[in-house]
Amino acid sequence: MAELPTQLIDRFGRKVTYVRMSITDRCDFRCVYCMDEEMTFMPRQQLLTLEEIVFLLRAFCELGVEKVRITGGEPLVRRDVDWLFNELGQLKGSTSLKELTLTTNGSKLEKYAQTLADSGLDRINISLDSLNAEKFKALTRTGDLDTVLTGIAAAKKANFKRIKLNAVIMKGRNEDEIIDLAQFAIDNDLDISYIEEMPLGHVSHAREESYCSSDDVLAKLKTVFDLRTSIASTGGPSRYYQVAGTTSKIGFISPHSHNFCDSCNRVRVTTEGRLLLCLGQEHSMDLRDVIRRHPGDMQQLKQAIVDSMEIKPKGHDFDIKAQPIIFRHMSVTGG
């Protein structure tokens, strides 16, 4: 077998340094932009085991990946998730991994925040689409705002390097809270990113009608806040602005209005171990099959990952006006 590189580089010369790993498609919320109200979840035997996840992410981190984000579904509903983070925290120092992060809906943070911080989790993203309890319930279908706010407080107490809120803005749902959400972030010494809705999977509303562009959000924010020149991102797709006189940054993830494919540095691994080379395409490689056909063989796994760089596409073909051509929900893909 050929000597393996120490850095993943795709056929367009882009370095892949960031992996988003979905560890479950299950969630205790049913957010309207992410899931149908009635969901059929993946049989548990199809999921990667926690041990397989650690093995897989070690392979990536020995191939030059510097940032790993654990996602779901809601990752903190997975059994023994604290063991997983303890194992992953140990990859820092023994591999190229520099940053271990998490995206969560916040519902389990009161229980897990301190344990996660102690395990080596660096940063945390918390979804928060409304500060109105009734509206929050409508957007999440099952969520409780007070539980999430308590989780945010627990995360602040645990002293992560940084905490960021994620808000998906939808016309007719929560666009009237753009300013309030930013002010909440500033008041709590947090960052916030506003996200354009991703057209993945079937949902119960017309995405074209609910779509709110990042430019519209930015224009509204500029009527209230002094936003300084855009600054460098943290390795993800966000464009950031510093709020003058504060420690808070405001970011925008804009797959429709500001395509960020040219600088893409990331890949995703789905709950069942399928390596997705692009969020908006189906180019993929079955890494679970490699792991289970060659148990414990790190060389075989790394070679499969290196080979996958040849099928990473140049970009996605998102069209907010069209029916989704990607039928997997965001909860399977990894939010």
PDB file of all heavy atoms in Angstrom, residues 267-287:
ATOM      1  N   VAL A 267     -15.566  17.972   5.609  1.00  0.00           N
ATOM      2  CA  VAL A 267     -16.386  16.846   5.187  1.00  0.00           C
ATOM      3  C   VAL A 267     -17.258  16.453   6.366  1.00  0.00           C
ATOM      4  O   VAL A 267     -17.008  16.852   7.505  1.00  0.00           O
ATOM      5  CB  VAL A 267     -15.522  15.642   4.737  1.00  0.00           C
ATOM      6  CG1 VAL A 267     -14.758  15.967   3.464  1.00  0.00           C
ATOM      7  CG2 VAL A 267     -14.574  15.194   5.849  1.00  0.00           C
ATOM      8  N   ARG A 268     -18.291  15.662   6.077  1.00  0.00           N
ATOM      9  CA  ARG A 268     -19.201  15.194   7.117  1.00  0.00           C
ATOM     10  C   ARG A 268     -19.227  13.675   7.140  1.00  0.00           C
ATOM     11  O   ARG A 268     -19.087  13.038   6.088  1.00  0.00           O
ATOM     12  CB  ARG A 268     -20.623  15.714   6.870  1.00  0.00           C
ATOM     13  CG  ARG A 268     -20.848  17.167   7.246  1.00  0.00           C
ATOM     14  CD  ARG A 268     -22.259  17.600   6.815  1.00  0.00           C
ATOM     15  NE  ARG A 268     -22.684  18.805   7.506  1.00  0.00           N
ATOM     16  CZ  ARG A 268     -22.360  20.036   7.148  1.00  0.00           C
ATOM     17  NH1 ARG A 268     -21.578  20.214   6.094  1.00  0.00           N
ATOM     18  NH2 ARG A 268     -22.797  21.079   7.827  1.00  0.00           N
ATOM     19  N   VAL A 269     -19.432  13.119   8.324  1.00  0.00           N
ATOM     20  CA  VAL A 269     -19.665  11.687   8.452  1.00  0.00           C
ATOM     21  C   VAL A 269     -21.050  11.510   9.054  1.00  0.00           C
ATOM     22  O   VAL A 269     -21.361  12.071  10.110  1.00  0.00           O
ATOM     23  CB  VAL A 269     -18.611  11.001   9.334  1.00  0.00           C
ATOM     24  CG1 VAL A 269     -18.866   9.489   9.365  1.00  0.00           C
ATOM     25  CG2 VAL A 269     -17.204  11.276   8.819  1.00  0.00           C
ATOM     26  N   THR A 270     -21.904  10.747   8.366  1.00  0.00           N
ATOM     27  CA  THR A 270     -23.274  10.558   8.824  1.00  0.00           C
ATOM     28  C   THR A 270     -23.328   9.549   9.958  1.00  0.00           C
ATOM     29  O   THR A 270     -22.348   8.862  10.270  1.00  0.00           O
ATOM     30  CB  THR A 270     -24.171  10.075   7.678  1.00  0.00           C
ATOM     31  OG1 THR A 270     -23.768   8.743   7.292  1.00  0.00           O
ATOM     32  CG2 THR A 270     -24.079  10.995   6.473  1.00  0.00           C
ATOM     33  N   THR A 271     -24.512   9.437  10.531  1.00  0.00           N
ATOM     34  CA  THR A 271     -24.715   8.559  11.682  1.00  0.00           C
ATOM     35  C   THR A 271     -24.329   7.113  11.409  1.00  0.00           C
ATOM     36  O   THR A 271     -23.879   6.410  12.305  1.00  0.00           O
ATOM     37  CB  THR A 271     -26.196   8.608  12.110  1.00  0.00           C
ATOM     38  OG1 THR A 271     -27.008   8.328  10.962  1.00  0.00           O
ATOM     39  CG2 THR A 271     -26.553   9.954  12.660  1.00  0.00           C
ATOM     40  N   GLU A 272     -24.508   6.669  10.150  1.00  0.00           N
ATOM     41  CA  GLU A 272     -24.194   5.276   9.825  1.00  0.00           C
ATOM     42  C   GLU A 272     -22.817   5.119   9.211  1.00  0.00           C
ATOM     43  O   GLU A 272     -22.499   4.066   8.650  1.00  0.00           O
ATOM     44  CB  GLU A 272     -25.279   4.674   8.913  1.00  0.00           C
ATOM     45  CG  GLU A 272     -25.220   5.071   7.452  1.00  0.00           C
ATOM     46  CD  GLU A 272     -25.907   6.383   7.136  1.00  0.00           C
ATOM     47  OE1 GLU A 272     -25.961   7.268   8.016  1.00  0.00           O
ATOM     48  OE2 GLU A 272     -26.381   6.545   5.994  1.00  0.00           O
ATOM     49  N   GLY A 273     -21.987   6.178   9.289  1.00  0.00           N
ATOM     50  CA  GLY A 273     -20.607   6.047   8.841  1.00  0.00           C
ATOM     51  C   GLY A 273     -20.381   6.294   7.372  1.00  0.00           C
ATOM     52  O   GLY A 273     -19.382   5.858   6.803  1.00  0.00           O
ATOM     53  N   ARG A 274     -21.283   7.037   6.735  1.00  0.00           N
ATOM     54  CA  ARG A 274     -21.093   7.401   5.334  1.00  0.00           C
ATOM     55  C   ARG A 274     -20.371   8.745   5.286  1.00  0.00           C
ATOM     56  O   ARG A 274     -20.841   9.730   5.848  1.00  0.00           O
ATOM     57  CB  ARG A 274     -22.437   7.482   4.611  1.00  0.00           C
ATOM     58  CG  ARG A 274     -22.325   7.705   3.110  1.00  0.00           C
ATOM     59  CD  ARG A 274     -23.580   7.229   2.384  1.00  0.00           C
ATOM     60  NE  ARG A 274     -24.764   7.944   2.808  1.00  0.00           N
ATOM     61  CZ  ARG A 274     -25.349   8.918   2.100  1.00  0.00           C
ATOM     62  NH1 ARG A 274     -24.832   9.304   0.945  1.00  0.00           N
ATOM     63  NH2 ARG A 274     -26.443   9.498   2.532  1.00  0.00           N
ATOM     64  N   LEU A 275     -19.228   8.774   4.632  1.00  0.00           N
ATOM     65  CA  LEU A 275     -18.461  10.006   4.494  1.00  0.00           C
ATOM     66  C   LEU A 275     -19.069  10.829   3.371  1.00  0.00           C
ATOM     67  O   LEU A 275     -19.017  10.448   2.203  1.00  0.00           O
ATOM     68  CB  LEU A 275     -16.997   9.694   4.190  1.00  0.00           C
ATOM     69  CG  LEU A 275     -16.096  10.894   3.875  1.00  0.00           C
ATOM     70  CD1 LEU A 275     -16.033  11.867   5.041  1.00  0.00           C
ATOM     71  CD2 LEU A 275     -14.692  10.424   3.493  1.00  0.00           C
ATOM     72  N   LEU A 276     -19.661  11.978   3.721  1.00  0.00           N
ATOM     73  CA  LEU A 276     -20.226  12.895   2.740  1.00  0.00           C
ATOM     74  C   LEU A 276     -19.180  13.931   2.390  1.00  0.00           C
ATOM     75  O   LEU A 276     -18.694  14.647   3.264  1.00  0.00           O
ATOM     76  CB  LEU A 276     -21.471  13.586   3.296  1.00  0.00           C
ATOM     77  CG  LEU A 276     -22.744  12.746   3.416  1.00  0.00           C
ATOM     78  CD1 LEU A 276     -23.821  13.559   4.130  1.00  0.00           C
ATOM     79  CD2 LEU A 276     -23.237  12.303   2.052  1.00  0.00           C
ATOM     80  N   LEU A 277     -18.865  14.036   1.118  1.00  0.00           N
ATOM     81  CA  LEU A 277     -17.839  14.973   0.684  1.00  0.00           C
ATOM     82  C   LEU A 277     -18.396  16.376   0.477  1.00  0.00           C
ATOM     83  O   LEU A 277     -17.635  17.332   0.326  1.00  0.00           O
ATOM     84  CB  LEU A 277     -17.169  14.479  -0.599  1.00  0.00           C
ATOM     85  CG  LEU A 277     -16.150  13.326  -0.485  1.00  0.00           C
ATOM     86  CD1 LEU A 277     -15.073  13.652   0.544  1.00  0.00           C
ATOM     87  CD2 LEU A 277     -16.799  11.993  -0.158  1.00  0.00           C
ATOM     88  N   CYS A 278     -19.745  16.509   0.466  1.00  0.00           N
ATOM     89  CA  CYS A 278     -20.392  17.807   0.305  1.00  0.00           C
ATOM     90  C   CYS A 278     -21.769  17.739   0.925  1.00  0.00           C
ATOM     91  O   CYS A 278     -22.493  16.750   0.737  1.00  0.00           O
ATOM     92  CB  CYS A 278     -20.502  18.173  -1.178  1.00  0.00           C
ATOM     93  SG  CYS A 278     -21.432  19.688  -1.526  1.00  0.00           S
ATOM     94  N   LEU A 279     -22.159  18.792   1.660  1.00  0.00           N
ATOM     95  CA  LEU A 279     -23.469  18.832   2.299  1.00  0.00           C
ATOM     96  C   LEU A 279     -24.591  18.723   1.280  1.00  0.00           C
ATOM     97  O   LEU A 279     -25.605  18.059   1.519  1.00  0.00           O
ATOM     98  CB  LEU A 279     -23.614  20.145   3.088  1.00  0.00           C
ATOM     99  CG  LEU A 279     -24.981  20.427   3.725  1.00  0.00           C
ATOM    100  CD1 LEU A 279     -25.304  19.386   4.769  1.00  0.00           C
ATOM    101  CD2 LEU A 279     -25.001  21.825   4.335  1.00  0.00           C
ATOM    102  N   GLY A 280     -24.424  19.369   0.119  1.00  0.00           N
ATOM    103  CA  GLY A 280     -25.495  19.448  -0.860  1.00  0.00           C
ATOM    104  C   GLY A 280     -25.368  18.511  -2.039  1.00  0.00           C
ATOM    105  O   GLY A 280     -26.036  18.681  -3.057  1.00  0.00           O
ATOM    106  N   GLN A 281     -24.510  17.499  -1.935  1.00  0.00           N
ATOM    107  CA  GLN A 281     -24.367  16.486  -2.980  1.00  0.00           C
ATOM    108  C   GLN A 281     -24.361  15.110  -2.321  1.00  0.00           C
ATOM    109  O   GLN A 281     -24.255  14.993  -1.106  1.00  0.00           O
ATOM    110  CB  GLN A 281     -23.060  16.689  -3.763  1.00  0.00           C
ATOM    111  CG  GLN A 281     -22.900  18.056  -4.409  1.00  0.00           C
ATOM    112  CD  GLN A 281     -23.673  18.194  -5.718  1.00  0.00           C
ATOM    113  OE1 GLN A 281     -24.432  17.307  -6.091  1.00  0.00           O
ATOM    114  NE2 GLN A 281     -23.484  19.318  -6.399  1.00  0.00           N
ATOM    115  N   GLU A 282     -24.456  14.078  -3.147  1.00  0.00           N
ATOM    116  CA  GLU A 282     -24.494  12.721  -2.598  1.00  0.00           C
ATOM    117  C   GLU A 282     -23.181  11.965  -2.794  1.00  0.00           C
ATOM    118  O   GLU A 282     -23.120  10.758  -2.566  1.00  0.00           O
ATOM    119  CB  GLU A 282     -25.653  11.928  -3.224  1.00  0.00           C
ATOM    120  CG  GLU A 282     -27.029  12.416  -2.791  1.00  0.00           C
ATOM    121  CD  GLU A 282     -27.349  12.161  -1.324  1.00  0.00           C
ATOM    122  OE1 GLU A 282     -26.443  11.782  -0.556  1.00  0.00           O
ATOM    123  OE2 GLU A 282     -28.510  12.351  -0.941  1.00  0.00           O
ATOM    124  N   HIS A 283     -22.118  12.642  -3.229  1.00  0.00           N
ATOM    125  CA  HIS A 283     -20.809  11.998  -3.336  1.00  0.00           C
ATOM    126  C   HIS A 283     -20.406  11.488  -1.955  1.00  0.00           C
ATOM    127  O   HIS A 283     -20.319  12.268  -1.006  1.00  0.00           O
ATOM    128  CB  HIS A 283     -19.757  12.984  -3.843  1.00  0.00           C
ATOM    129  CG  HIS A 283     -20.075  13.574  -5.181  1.00  0.00           C
ATOM    130  ND1 HIS A 283     -21.107  14.454  -5.388  1.00  0.00           N
ATOM    131  CD2 HIS A 283     -19.467  13.398  -6.392  1.00  0.00           C
ATOM    132  CE1 HIS A 283     -21.136  14.801  -6.670  1.00  0.00           C
ATOM    133  NE2 HIS A 283     -20.160  14.181  -7.294  1.00  0.00           N
ATOM    134  N   SER A 284     -20.142  10.205  -1.833  1.00  0.00           N
ATOM    135  CA  SER A 284     -19.881   9.656  -0.502  1.00  0.00           C
ATOM    136  C   SER A 284     -19.067   8.372  -0.581  1.00  0.00           C
ATOM    137  O   SER A 284     -18.889   7.790  -1.655  1.00  0.00           O
ATOM    138  CB  SER A 284     -21.197   9.386   0.235  1.00  0.00           C
ATOM    139  OG  SER A 284     -21.935   8.351  -0.403  1.00  0.00           O
ATOM    140  N   MET A 285     -18.598   7.947   0.592  1.00  0.00           N
ATOM    141  CA  MET A 285     -17.881   6.679   0.723  1.00  0.00           C
ATOM    142  C   MET A 285     -18.342   6.004   2.016  1.00  0.00           C
ATOM    143  O   MET A 285     -18.482   6.668   3.045  1.00  0.00           O
ATOM    144  CB  MET A 285     -16.368   6.900   0.747  1.00  0.00           C
ATOM    145  CG  MET A 285     -15.578   5.605   0.874  1.00  0.00           C
ATOM    146  SD  MET A 285     -13.796   5.835   0.627  1.00  0.00           S
ATOM    147  CE  MET A 285     -13.710   6.115  -1.140  1.00  0.00           C
ATOM    148  N   ASP A 286     -18.578   4.707   1.949  1.00  0.00           N
ATOM    149  CA  ASP A 286     -19.072   3.956   3.100  1.00  0.00           C
ATOM    150  C   ASP A 286     -17.896   3.548   3.993  1.00  0.00           C
ATOM    151  O   ASP A 286     -17.267   2.509   3.783  1.00  0.00           O
ATOM    152  CB  ASP A 286     -19.836   2.718   2.623  1.00  0.00           C
ATOM    153  CG  ASP A 286     -20.528   1.983   3.764  1.00  0.00           C
ATOM    154  OD1 ASP A 286     -20.273   2.319   4.939  1.00  0.00           O
ATOM    155  OD2 ASP A 286     -21.324   1.072   3.476  1.00  0.00           O
ATOM    156  N   LEU A 287     -17.603   4.369   4.989  1.00  0.00           N
ATOM    157  CA  LEU A 287     -16.479   4.073   5.883  1.00  0.00           C
ATOM    158  C   LEU A 287     -16.844   3.008   6.914  1.00  0.00           C
ATOM    159  O   LEU A 287     -15.959   2.295   7.395  1.00  0.00           O
ATOM    160  CB  LEU A 287     -16.015   5.351   6.581  1.00  0.00           C
ATOM    161  CG  LEU A 287     -15.439   6.428   5.657  1.00  0.00           C
ATOM    162  CD1 LEU A 287     -14.958   7.620   6.470  1.00  0.00           C
ATOM    163  CD2 LEU A 287     -14.299   5.872   4.799  1.00  0.00           C
TER     164      LEU A 287
END
